[in-house]
Amino acid sequence: MTVTIRDIEIGGDAAIALISGPCQLESLDHARMMAERIAQACAPTGTRFIFKASYDKANRSSLSTARGLGMEEGLSILSKIRDEFGCPTLTDVHLPDHCAPAAEACDVIQIPAFLCRQTDLLLAAGETGAAINVKKGQFLAPWDMANVAAKIASTGNERILLCDRGTSFGYNTLVSDFRGLPIMAQTGYPVVFDATHSVQQPGGQGTTSGGQREFAPLLARAACAVGVSALFIETHEDPDNAPSDGPNMIPVDQMEDLIGTLRAIDDLMKGR
């Protein structure tokens, strides 16, 4: 099965698509700058990208950490980015009543990993008709995602992407089991690998999450060798000073070389 998002085909033998952007929206000017930098990084290989950013980080480690710009301002920014750059946009939602407004501004609604079994949220997302990128909970086995996908598909919407972002391994640590990617693909839906959140150390810095961004490119290369349909890679011009998930994000000035390597592996695996 393939999922078409605007003019991007995801799945089958199509070249990997990229879902990329800063973890948290900061301003319209910042989003414009990041979208332009990502487009420049993708241009040499013709890689198609979906711009991703969150208007609200509702699952931050601490009450004191920044959550974002809020839904109204955030969705306005994402709608402008879609119109100005001609790229699809993606954001995550946390409550059922967020889904319809998000689907007006974005082409893809993302279900956070912690919420992937929330039936009312999945149904509300599916009913919008938007493409749904649902992240596998860190606590779920890959075969459990068949039940998650079935909830969304029950609305008549089969524009479903299944995304792996690592599995809980002890305290403050995640591990990537690459067997899970082809297992999730057995559902028939395209599989996305989230390279940057897979190196997150949840709550690892006490009031914020830590991470090991140096391993994200390695995991992304491995996922391409397995044969995923899309990659999720958050990026920022200054990750160490980003308001959210800085330790995981790839500096945007490294993205062009990384995308080139990933496309070469993807082309090899898919026989292009």
PDB file of all heavy atoms in Angstrom, residues 171-209:
ATOM      1  N   TYR A 171      15.708   2.348  32.472  1.00  0.00           N
ATOM      2  CA  TYR A 171      15.345   3.711  32.802  1.00  0.00           C
ATOM      3  C   TYR A 171      16.044   4.713  31.891  1.00  0.00           C
ATOM      4  O   TYR A 171      17.227   4.592  31.610  1.00  0.00           O
ATOM      5  CB  TYR A 171      15.716   4.023  34.254  1.00  0.00           C
ATOM      6  CG  TYR A 171      14.994   3.177  35.278  1.00  0.00           C
ATOM      7  CD1 TYR A 171      15.708   2.422  36.207  1.00  0.00           C
ATOM      8  CD2 TYR A 171      13.607   3.130  35.304  1.00  0.00           C
ATOM      9  CE1 TYR A 171      15.056   1.652  37.157  1.00  0.00           C
ATOM     10  CE2 TYR A 171      12.940   2.363  36.246  1.00  0.00           C
ATOM     11  CZ  TYR A 171      13.662   1.624  37.170  1.00  0.00           C
ATOM     12  OH  TYR A 171      13.000   0.867  38.103  1.00  0.00           O
ATOM     13  N   ASN A 172      15.310   5.728  31.420  1.00  0.00           N
ATOM     14  CA  ASN A 172      15.860   6.838  30.638  1.00  0.00           C
ATOM     15  C   ASN A 172      16.597   6.392  29.375  1.00  0.00           C
ATOM     16  O   ASN A 172      17.493   7.095  28.893  1.00  0.00           O
ATOM     17  CB  ASN A 172      16.824   7.689  31.489  1.00  0.00           C
ATOM     18  CG  ASN A 172      16.170   8.224  32.735  1.00  0.00           C
ATOM     19  OD1 ASN A 172      16.651   7.959  33.834  1.00  0.00           O
ATOM     20  ND2 ASN A 172      15.088   8.955  32.598  1.00  0.00           N
ATOM     21  N   THR A 173      16.205   5.264  28.819  1.00  0.00           N
ATOM     22  CA  THR A 173      16.918   4.747  27.654  1.00  0.00           C
ATOM     23  C   THR A 173      15.928   4.096  26.693  1.00  0.00           C
ATOM     24  O   THR A 173      14.931   3.501  27.108  1.00  0.00           O
ATOM     25  CB  THR A 173      17.974   3.695  28.063  1.00  0.00           C
ATOM     26  OG1 THR A 173      18.859   4.270  29.039  1.00  0.00           O
ATOM     27  CG2 THR A 173      18.793   3.238  26.871  1.00  0.00           C
ATOM     28  N   LEU A 174      16.219   4.218  25.404  1.00  0.00           N
ATOM     29  CA  LEU A 174      15.460   3.549  24.363  1.00  0.00           C
ATOM     30  C   LEU A 174      16.421   2.688  23.550  1.00  0.00           C
ATOM     31  O   LEU A 174      17.621   2.967  23.481  1.00  0.00           O
ATOM     32  CB  LEU A 174      14.789   4.563  23.437  1.00  0.00           C
ATOM     33  CG  LEU A 174      13.796   5.538  24.082  1.00  0.00           C
ATOM     34  CD1 LEU A 174      13.416   6.633  23.084  1.00  0.00           C
ATOM     35  CD2 LEU A 174      12.553   4.807  24.557  1.00  0.00           C
ATOM     36  N   VAL A 175      15.880   1.650  22.931  1.00  0.00           N
ATOM     37  CA  VAL A 175      16.662   0.820  22.030  1.00  0.00           C
ATOM     38  C   VAL A 175      15.850   0.597  20.765  1.00  0.00           C
ATOM     39  O   VAL A 175      14.609   0.551  20.814  1.00  0.00           O
ATOM     40  CB  VAL A 175      17.033  -0.533  22.695  1.00  0.00           C
ATOM     41  CG1 VAL A 175      15.809  -1.385  22.954  1.00  0.00           C
ATOM     42  CG2 VAL A 175      18.061  -1.285  21.857  1.00  0.00           C
ATOM     43  N   SER A 176      16.512   0.509  19.624  1.00  0.00           N
ATOM     44  CA  SER A 176      15.828   0.259  18.352  1.00  0.00           C
ATOM     45  C   SER A 176      16.005  -1.196  17.963  1.00  0.00           C
ATOM     46  O   SER A 176      17.129  -1.674  17.812  1.00  0.00           O
ATOM     47  CB  SER A 176      16.386   1.168  17.257  1.00  0.00           C
ATOM     48  OG  SER A 176      16.059   2.516  17.521  1.00  0.00           O
ATOM     49  N   ASP A 177      14.882  -1.882  17.802  1.00  0.00           N
ATOM     50  CA  ASP A 177      14.867  -3.268  17.346  1.00  0.00           C
ATOM     51  C   ASP A 177      14.436  -3.250  15.887  1.00  0.00           C
ATOM     52  O   ASP A 177      13.251  -3.056  15.584  1.00  0.00           O
ATOM     53  CB  ASP A 177      13.899  -4.088  18.198  1.00  0.00           C
ATOM     54  CG  ASP A 177      13.820  -5.547  17.759  1.00  0.00           C
ATOM     55  OD1 ASP A 177      14.513  -5.928  16.793  1.00  0.00           O
ATOM     56  OD2 ASP A 177      13.045  -6.306  18.378  1.00  0.00           O
ATOM     57  N   PHE A 178      15.376  -3.420  14.986  1.00  0.00           N
ATOM     58  CA  PHE A 178      15.069  -3.267  13.566  1.00  0.00           C
ATOM     59  C   PHE A 178      14.228  -4.405  12.997  1.00  0.00           C
ATOM     60  O   PHE A 178      13.731  -4.287  11.880  1.00  0.00           O
ATOM     61  CB  PHE A 178      16.366  -3.061  12.770  1.00  0.00           C
ATOM     62  CG  PHE A 178      16.957  -1.704  13.010  1.00  0.00           C
ATOM     63  CD1 PHE A 178      17.993  -1.533  13.915  1.00  0.00           C
ATOM     64  CD2 PHE A 178      16.444  -0.581  12.380  1.00  0.00           C
ATOM     65  CE1 PHE A 178      18.519  -0.276  14.164  1.00  0.00           C
ATOM     66  CE2 PHE A 178      16.961   0.674  12.627  1.00  0.00           C
ATOM     67  CZ  PHE A 178      18.005   0.839  13.520  1.00  0.00           C
ATOM     68  N   ARG A 179      14.032  -5.453  13.767  1.00  0.00           N
ATOM     69  CA  ARG A 179      13.067  -6.478  13.349  1.00  0.00           C
ATOM     70  C   ARG A 179      11.664  -5.896  13.308  1.00  0.00           C
ATOM     71  O   ARG A 179      10.794  -6.358  12.552  1.00  0.00           O
ATOM     72  CB  ARG A 179      13.092  -7.671  14.317  1.00  0.00           C
ATOM     73  CG  ARG A 179      14.413  -8.413  14.382  1.00  0.00           C
ATOM     74  CD  ARG A 179      14.395  -9.472  15.477  1.00  0.00           C
ATOM     75  NE  ARG A 179      14.151  -8.876  16.797  1.00  0.00           N
ATOM     76  CZ  ARG A 179      14.040  -9.587  17.927  1.00  0.00           C
ATOM     77  NH1 ARG A 179      14.134 -10.913  17.879  1.00  0.00           N
ATOM     78  NH2 ARG A 179      13.840  -8.985  19.085  1.00  0.00           N
ATOM     79  N   GLY A 180      11.422  -4.880  14.140  1.00  0.00           N
ATOM     80  CA  GLY A 180      10.085  -4.319  14.232  1.00  0.00           C
ATOM     81  C   GLY A 180       9.629  -3.622  12.965  1.00  0.00           C
ATOM     82  O   GLY A 180       8.419  -3.514  12.714  1.00  0.00           O
ATOM     83  N   LEU A 181      10.566  -3.117  12.154  1.00  0.00           N
ATOM     84  CA  LEU A 181      10.177  -2.374  10.956  1.00  0.00           C
ATOM     85  C   LEU A 181       9.501  -3.285   9.929  1.00  0.00           C
ATOM     86  O   LEU A 181       8.389  -2.979   9.477  1.00  0.00           O
ATOM     87  CB  LEU A 181      11.385  -1.651  10.371  1.00  0.00           C
ATOM     88  CG  LEU A 181      12.079  -0.672  11.339  1.00  0.00           C
ATOM     89  CD1 LEU A 181      13.301  -0.050  10.673  1.00  0.00           C
ATOM     90  CD2 LEU A 181      11.120   0.411  11.808  1.00  0.00           C
ATOM     91  N   PRO A 182      10.099  -4.417   9.526  1.00  0.00           N
ATOM     92  CA  PRO A 182       9.375  -5.303   8.607  1.00  0.00           C
ATOM     93  C   PRO A 182       8.156  -5.949   9.248  1.00  0.00           C
ATOM     94  O   PRO A 182       7.185  -6.265   8.546  1.00  0.00           O
ATOM     95  CB  PRO A 182      10.427  -6.351   8.208  1.00  0.00           C
ATOM     96  CG  PRO A 182      11.467  -6.292   9.269  1.00  0.00           C
ATOM     97  CD  PRO A 182      11.491  -4.879   9.737  1.00  0.00           C
ATOM     98  N   ILE A 183       8.179  -6.134  10.561  1.00  0.00           N
ATOM     99  CA  ILE A 183       6.978  -6.687  11.221  1.00  0.00           C
ATOM    100  C   ILE A 183       5.818  -5.708  11.087  1.00  0.00           C
ATOM    101  O   ILE A 183       4.692  -6.100  10.740  1.00  0.00           O
ATOM    102  CB  ILE A 183       7.273  -7.011  12.693  1.00  0.00           C
ATOM    103  CG1 ILE A 183       8.218  -8.205  12.802  1.00  0.00           C
ATOM    104  CG2 ILE A 183       5.974  -7.298  13.455  1.00  0.00           C
ATOM    105  CD1 ILE A 183       8.730  -8.476  14.203  1.00  0.00           C
ATOM    106  N   MET A 184       6.052  -4.430  11.342  1.00  0.00           N
ATOM    107  CA  MET A 184       4.978  -3.442  11.173  1.00  0.00           C
ATOM    108  C   MET A 184       4.565  -3.328   9.707  1.00  0.00           C
ATOM    109  O   MET A 184       3.386  -3.098   9.404  1.00  0.00           O
ATOM    110  CB  MET A 184       5.405  -2.083  11.718  1.00  0.00           C
ATOM    111  CG  MET A 184       5.484  -2.037  13.227  1.00  0.00           C
ATOM    112  SD  MET A 184       5.437  -0.350  13.915  1.00  0.00           S
ATOM    113  CE  MET A 184       6.921   0.360  13.228  1.00  0.00           C
ATOM    114  N   ALA A 185       5.503  -3.505   8.792  1.00  0.00           N
ATOM    115  CA  ALA A 185       5.178  -3.427   7.364  1.00  0.00           C
ATOM    116  C   ALA A 185       4.234  -4.543   6.927  1.00  0.00           C
ATOM    117  O   ALA A 185       3.547  -4.411   5.904  1.00  0.00           O
ATOM    118  CB  ALA A 185       6.457  -3.456   6.532  1.00  0.00           C
ATOM    119  N   GLN A 186       4.185  -5.629   7.690  1.00  0.00           N
ATOM    120  CA  GLN A 186       3.261  -6.721   7.361  1.00  0.00           C
ATOM    121  C   GLN A 186       1.797  -6.290   7.445  1.00  0.00           C
ATOM    122  O   GLN A 186       0.920  -6.959   6.902  1.00  0.00           O
ATOM    123  CB  GLN A 186       3.509  -7.915   8.277  1.00  0.00           C
ATOM    124  CG  GLN A 186       4.832  -8.616   8.019  1.00  0.00           C
ATOM    125  CD  GLN A 186       5.146  -9.699   9.044  1.00  0.00           C
ATOM    126  OE1 GLN A 186       4.332 -10.008   9.905  1.00  0.00           O
ATOM    127  NE2 GLN A 186       6.330 -10.264   8.956  1.00  0.00           N
ATOM    128  N   THR A 187       1.518  -5.167   8.103  1.00  0.00           N
ATOM    129  CA  THR A 187       0.159  -4.634   8.128  1.00  0.00           C
ATOM    130  C   THR A 187      -0.260  -4.130   6.750  1.00  0.00           C
ATOM    131  O   THR A 187      -1.458  -3.942   6.494  1.00  0.00           O
ATOM    132  CB  THR A 187       0.046  -3.461   9.108  1.00  0.00           C
ATOM    133  OG1 THR A 187       0.919  -2.397   8.672  1.00  0.00           O
ATOM    134  CG2 THR A 187       0.413  -3.879  10.529  1.00  0.00           C
ATOM    135  N   GLY A 188       0.701  -3.875   5.887  1.00  0.00           N
ATOM    136  CA  GLY A 188       0.425  -3.304   4.575  1.00  0.00           C
ATOM    137  C   GLY A 188       0.604  -1.805   4.520  1.00  0.00           C
ATOM    138  O   GLY A 188       0.598  -1.219   3.440  1.00  0.00           O
ATOM    139  N   TYR A 189       0.766  -1.167   5.672  1.00  0.00           N
ATOM    140  CA  TYR A 189       0.912   0.288   5.708  1.00  0.00           C
ATOM    141  C   TYR A 189       2.393   0.676   5.654  1.00  0.00           C
ATOM    142  O   TYR A 189       3.250  -0.046   6.171  1.00  0.00           O
ATOM    143  CB  TYR A 189       0.274   0.850   6.975  1.00  0.00           C
ATOM    144  CG  TYR A 189      -1.213   0.587   7.054  1.00  0.00           C
ATOM    145  CD1 TYR A 189      -1.739  -0.311   7.982  1.00  0.00           C
ATOM    146  CD2 TYR A 189      -2.093   1.222   6.183  1.00  0.00           C
ATOM    147  CE1 TYR A 189      -3.106  -0.567   8.046  1.00  0.00           C
ATOM    148  CE2 TYR A 189      -3.460   0.974   6.242  1.00  0.00           C
ATOM    149  CZ  TYR A 189      -3.959   0.077   7.173  1.00  0.00           C
ATOM    150  OH  TYR A 189      -5.307  -0.179   7.224  1.00  0.00           O
ATOM    151  N   PRO A 190       2.714   1.822   5.046  1.00  0.00           N
ATOM    152  CA  PRO A 190       4.106   2.269   5.003  1.00  0.00           C
ATOM    153  C   PRO A 190       4.656   2.502   6.411  1.00  0.00           C
ATOM    154  O   PRO A 190       3.940   2.930   7.319  1.00  0.00           O
ATOM    155  CB  PRO A 190       4.027   3.588   4.224  1.00  0.00           C
ATOM    156  CG  PRO A 190       2.761   3.497   3.438  1.00  0.00           C
ATOM    157  CD  PRO A 190       1.809   2.720   4.291  1.00  0.00           C
ATOM    158  N   VAL A 191       5.952   2.228   6.550  1.00  0.00           N
ATOM    159  CA  VAL A 191       6.622   2.353   7.843  1.00  0.00           C
ATOM    160  C   VAL A 191       7.614   3.511   7.806  1.00  0.00           C
ATOM    161  O   VAL A 191       8.370   3.687   6.849  1.00  0.00           O
ATOM    162  CB  VAL A 191       7.336   1.036   8.209  1.00  0.00           C
ATOM    163  CG1 VAL A 191       8.211   1.212   9.445  1.00  0.00           C
ATOM    164  CG2 VAL A 191       6.307  -0.076   8.446  1.00  0.00           C
ATOM    165  N   VAL A 192       7.576   4.293   8.880  1.00  0.00           N
ATOM    166  CA  VAL A 192       8.462   5.433   9.066  1.00  0.00           C
ATOM    167  C   VAL A 192       9.401   5.111  10.225  1.00  0.00           C
ATOM    168  O   VAL A 192       8.975   4.511  11.224  1.00  0.00           O
ATOM    169  CB  VAL A 192       7.651   6.708   9.405  1.00  0.00           C
ATOM    170  CG1 VAL A 192       8.575   7.914   9.568  1.00  0.00           C
ATOM    171  CG2 VAL A 192       6.576   6.966   8.361  1.00  0.00           C
ATOM    172  N   PHE A 193      10.653   5.518  10.110  1.00  0.00           N
ATOM    173  CA  PHE A 193      11.571   5.368  11.235  1.00  0.00           C
ATOM    174  C   PHE A 193      11.961   6.744  11.740  1.00  0.00           C
ATOM    175  O   PHE A 193      12.446   7.592  10.986  1.00  0.00           O
ATOM    176  CB  PHE A 193      12.836   4.597  10.846  1.00  0.00           C
ATOM    177  CG  PHE A 193      13.786   4.424  11.998  1.00  0.00           C
ATOM    178  CD1 PHE A 193      13.479   3.566  13.042  1.00  0.00           C
ATOM    179  CD2 PHE A 193      14.986   5.135  12.056  1.00  0.00           C
ATOM    180  CE1 PHE A 193      14.340   3.415  14.125  1.00  0.00           C
ATOM    181  CE2 PHE A 193      15.853   4.985  13.125  1.00  0.00           C
ATOM    182  CZ  PHE A 193      15.535   4.124  14.163  1.00  0.00           C
ATOM    183  N   ASP A 194      11.751   6.962  13.030  1.00  0.00           N
ATOM    184  CA  ASP A 194      12.074   8.225  13.694  1.00  0.00           C
ATOM    185  C   ASP A 194      13.471   8.102  14.298  1.00  0.00           C
ATOM    186  O   ASP A 194      13.660   7.547  15.380  1.00  0.00           O
ATOM    187  CB  ASP A 194      11.020   8.505  14.771  1.00  0.00           C
ATOM    188  CG  ASP A 194      11.261   9.793  15.535  1.00  0.00           C
ATOM    189  OD1 ASP A 194      12.370  10.360  15.421  1.00  0.00           O
ATOM    190  OD2 ASP A 194      10.356  10.219  16.269  1.00  0.00           O
ATOM    191  N   ALA A 195      14.454   8.630  13.572  1.00  0.00           N
ATOM    192  CA  ALA A 195      15.849   8.460  13.985  1.00  0.00           C
ATOM    193  C   ALA A 195      16.207   9.318  15.182  1.00  0.00           C
ATOM    194  O   ALA A 195      17.023   8.907  16.026  1.00  0.00           O
ATOM    195  CB  ALA A 195      16.770   8.785  12.813  1.00  0.00           C
ATOM    196  N   THR A 196      15.645  10.511  15.281  1.00  0.00           N
ATOM    197  CA  THR A 196      16.087  11.419  16.345  1.00  0.00           C
ATOM    198  C   THR A 196      15.436  11.101  17.690  1.00  0.00           C
ATOM    199  O   THR A 196      16.092  11.174  18.729  1.00  0.00           O
ATOM    200  CB  THR A 196      15.865  12.886  15.948  1.00  0.00           C
ATOM    201  OG1 THR A 196      14.593  13.051  15.327  1.00  0.00           O
ATOM    202  CG2 THR A 196      16.926  13.330  14.966  1.00  0.00           C
ATOM    203  N   HIS A 197      14.155  10.735  17.706  1.00  0.00           N
ATOM    204  CA  HIS A 197      13.575  10.375  18.994  1.00  0.00           C
ATOM    205  C   HIS A 197      14.041   9.002  19.474  1.00  0.00           C
ATOM    206  O   HIS A 197      13.949   8.691  20.662  1.00  0.00           O
ATOM    207  CB  HIS A 197      12.045  10.410  18.933  1.00  0.00           C
ATOM    208  CG  HIS A 197      11.502  11.816  18.948  1.00  0.00           C
ATOM    209  ND1 HIS A 197      11.113  12.471  17.810  1.00  0.00           N
ATOM    210  CD2 HIS A 197      11.332  12.689  19.969  1.00  0.00           C
ATOM    211  CE1 HIS A 197      10.708  13.690  18.127  1.00  0.00           C
ATOM    212  NE2 HIS A 197      10.833  13.853  19.420  1.00  0.00           N
ATOM    213  N   SER A 198      14.553   8.187  18.574  1.00  0.00           N
ATOM    214  CA  SER A 198      15.074   6.887  18.984  1.00  0.00           C
ATOM    215  C   SER A 198      16.361   6.998  19.789  1.00  0.00           C
ATOM    216  O   SER A 198      16.746   6.040  20.471  1.00  0.00           O
ATOM    217  CB  SER A 198      15.306   5.992  17.756  1.00  0.00           C
ATOM    218  OG  SER A 198      14.079   5.618  17.168  1.00  0.00           O
ATOM    219  N   VAL A 199      17.028   8.150  19.711  1.00  0.00           N
ATOM    220  CA  VAL A 199      18.236   8.344  20.519  1.00  0.00           C
ATOM    221  C   VAL A 199      17.949   9.235  21.727  1.00  0.00           C
ATOM    222  O   VAL A 199      18.873   9.652  22.432  1.00  0.00           O
ATOM    223  CB  VAL A 199      19.393   8.926  19.685  1.00  0.00           C
ATOM    224  CG1 VAL A 199      19.764   7.977  18.549  1.00  0.00           C
ATOM    225  CG2 VAL A 199      19.071  10.315  19.139  1.00  0.00           C
ATOM    226  N   GLN A 200      16.687   9.521  21.974  1.00  0.00           N
ATOM    227  CA  GLN A 200      16.307  10.311  23.140  1.00  0.00           C
ATOM    228  C   GLN A 200      16.575   9.525  24.429  1.00  0.00           C
ATOM    229  O   GLN A 200      16.518   8.296  24.441  1.00  0.00           O
ATOM    230  CB  GLN A 200      14.819  10.664  23.052  1.00  0.00           C
ATOM    231  CG  GLN A 200      14.323  11.611  24.129  1.00  0.00           C
ATOM    232  CD  GLN A 200      12.816  11.818  24.038  1.00  0.00           C
ATOM    233  OE1 GLN A 200      12.056  10.882  24.255  1.00  0.00           O
ATOM    234  NE2 GLN A 200      12.400  13.022  23.702  1.00  0.00           N
ATOM    235  N   GLN A 201      16.866  10.254  25.476  1.00  0.00           N
ATOM    236  CA  GLN A 201      16.961   9.685  26.821  1.00  0.00           C
ATOM    237  C   GLN A 201      15.846  10.328  27.646  1.00  0.00           C
ATOM    238  O   GLN A 201      16.032  11.394  28.232  1.00  0.00           O
ATOM    239  CB  GLN A 201      18.341   9.955  27.423  1.00  0.00           C
ATOM    240  CG  GLN A 201      19.461   9.267  26.662  1.00  0.00           C
ATOM    241  CD  GLN A 201      20.842   9.706  27.104  1.00  0.00           C
ATOM    242  OE1 GLN A 201      21.091  10.890  27.313  1.00  0.00           O
ATOM    243  NE2 GLN A 201      21.753   8.758  27.244  1.00  0.00           N
ATOM    244  N   PRO A 202      14.651   9.701  27.649  1.00  0.00           N
ATOM    245  CA  PRO A 202      13.474  10.343  28.255  1.00  0.00           C
ATOM    246  C   PRO A 202      13.713  10.722  29.718  1.00  0.00           C
ATOM    247  O   PRO A 202      14.096   9.892  30.540  1.00  0.00           O
ATOM    248  CB  PRO A 202      12.388   9.266  28.125  1.00  0.00           C
ATOM    249  CG  PRO A 202      12.847   8.406  26.985  1.00  0.00           C
ATOM    250  CD  PRO A 202      14.338   8.384  27.088  1.00  0.00           C
ATOM    251  N   GLY A 203      13.515  12.005  30.010  1.00  0.00           N
ATOM    252  CA  GLY A 203      13.724  12.494  31.368  1.00  0.00           C
ATOM    253  C   GLY A 203      15.156  12.397  31.842  1.00  0.00           C
ATOM    254  O   GLY A 203      15.443  12.552  33.035  1.00  0.00           O
ATOM    255  N   GLY A 204      16.075  12.180  30.911  1.00  0.00           N
ATOM    256  CA  GLY A 204      17.451  11.877  31.288  1.00  0.00           C
ATOM    257  C   GLY A 204      18.222  13.017  31.918  1.00  0.00           C
ATOM    258  O   GLY A 204      19.295  12.794  32.503  1.00  0.00           O
ATOM    259  N   GLN A 205      17.701  14.255  31.783  1.00  0.00           N
ATOM    260  CA  GLN A 205      18.386  15.400  32.396  1.00  0.00           C
ATOM    261  C   GLN A 205      17.597  15.952  33.580  1.00  0.00           C
ATOM    262  O   GLN A 205      17.786  17.105  33.967  1.00  0.00           O
ATOM    263  CB  GLN A 205      18.616  16.481  31.336  1.00  0.00           C
ATOM    264  CG  GLN A 205      19.585  16.035  30.243  1.00  0.00           C
ATOM    265  CD  GLN A 205      19.871  17.121  29.224  1.00  0.00           C
ATOM    266  OE1 GLN A 205      19.194  18.147  29.180  1.00  0.00           O
ATOM    267  NE2 GLN A 205      20.875  16.907  28.400  1.00  0.00           N
ATOM    268  N   GLY A 206      16.754  15.129  34.137  1.00  0.00           N
ATOM    269  CA  GLY A 206      16.000  15.545  35.315  1.00  0.00           C
ATOM    270  C   GLY A 206      14.699  16.222  34.948  1.00  0.00           C
ATOM    271  O   GLY A 206      13.637  15.622  35.003  1.00  0.00           O
ATOM    272  N   THR A 207      14.773  17.493  34.575  1.00  0.00           N
ATOM    273  CA  THR A 207      13.561  18.220  34.185  1.00  0.00           C
ATOM    274  C   THR A 207      13.379  18.271  32.670  1.00  0.00           C
ATOM    275  O   THR A 207      12.377  18.787  32.186  1.00  0.00           O
ATOM    276  CB  THR A 207      13.581  19.659  34.723  1.00  0.00           C
ATOM    277  OG1 THR A 207      14.741  20.329  34.227  1.00  0.00           O
ATOM    278  CG2 THR A 207      13.592  19.663  36.251  1.00  0.00           C
ATOM    279  N   THR A 208      14.341  17.752  31.915  1.00  0.00           N
ATOM    280  CA  THR A 208      14.224  17.660  30.463  1.00  0.00           C
ATOM    281  C   THR A 208      14.808  16.323  30.006  1.00  0.00           C
ATOM    282  O   THR A 208      15.519  15.648  30.764  1.00  0.00           O
ATOM    283  CB  THR A 208      14.982  18.798  29.749  1.00  0.00           C
ATOM    284  OG1 THR A 208      16.375  18.726  30.097  1.00  0.00           O
ATOM    285  CG2 THR A 208      14.422  20.155  30.129  1.00  0.00           C
ATOM    286  N   SER A 209      14.514  15.968  28.757  1.00  0.00           N
ATOM    287  CA  SER A 209      15.067  14.734  28.199  1.00  0.00           C
ATOM    288  C   SER A 209      16.453  14.981  27.630  1.00  0.00           C
ATOM    289  O   SER A 209      16.737  16.054  27.082  1.00  0.00           O
ATOM    290  CB  SER A 209      14.155  14.188  27.097  1.00  0.00           C
ATOM    291  OG  SER A 209      12.946  13.708  27.640  1.00  0.00           O
TER     292      SER A 209
END
